[in-house]
Amino acid sequence: MDSIKNLEWRYAVKKFDSEKILPEDKIDRLKQAFNLTATSYGLQPITMAVIHNKELQNKLVEHSYGQQQVAQASHVLVICIQNDINEEYINRYFEQIKKVRGTSQDILDPFKNALLADFSKKEVPEIEQWSKNQAYLALGNLLTVCALEKIDSCPMEGFVPSAYDAVLNLKKRGLTSVLVLPVGYRADDDMFSEFKKVRKNIEDSVIEIN
């Protein structure tokens, strides 16, 4: 597997083949990739909604500035942030560490108490921005895995989060949508698939400091 060739292969799809559906094993890989994304402190303040419902996808187009990829795609992934990163949430995280690793409470408490103290001082907008940063980490991870798995995708910021939240009943789950990623297979007549990538020269985007 040549990772660079696969990254060169990927592009932001402008038209999906609505007749082609991703197999479940591909969707499972994307779910696992999302869950394995590195996040600050390991707190995972993000959740991914997986939509595979044409009626719902069509309804979301009007809240996506008319971008038809949302309707055409095999599945639509919506990356969300948790609305409350509070004491209860942080405590649950440390209970999970203890359960998975068997780490003693004496070892966990200093780190847990430091996190609780740190987050208690943060204002809500600061926590929201921190959570959104983690969502972008997940998006980057998903785009790379899509390329490696030869899954076509189109990362989107152009949508109305409040409308998505309402249509998908996300508020009831304590979530707010941040990013949208339609996935599937490119249409044969998507002319953008033939365009050469436009990027800086490597020497302009990467510096070496010895």
Side-chain angles (χ1 to χ4, degrees), residues 16 39 61 83 85 94 119 123 136-137 164 185 190 206 209:
F16 286 95
T39 59
V61 170
N83 290 335
I85 305 299
F94 280 92
F119 275 83
E123 300 291 335
Y136 278 90
L137 286 174
Y164 264 64
Y185 297 106
D190 185 359
V206 179
I209 302 174

Side-chain angles (χ1 to χ4, degrees), residues 67-80:
Q67 296 179 88
Q68 293 298 317
Q69 297 98 311
V70 173
Q72 299 161 351
S74 168
H75 295 67
V76 176
L77 312 181
V78 182
I79 302 176
C80 310

Side-chain angles (χ1 to χ4, degrees), residues 4 7-8 198-208:
I4 298 301
L7 288 171
E8 289 173 343
V198 179
R199 296 291 189 273
K200 293 179 179 179
N201 294 326
I202 289 287
E203 58 269 23
D204 294 328
S205 67
V206 179
I207 62 171
E208 296 193 30

Side-chain angles (χ1 to χ4, degrees), residues 140-155:
N141 198 34
L142 287 169
L143 288 173
T144 300
V145 172
C146 280
L148 297 177
E149 294 288 332
K150 288 299 179 77
I151 298 170
D152 284 303
S153 61
C154 180

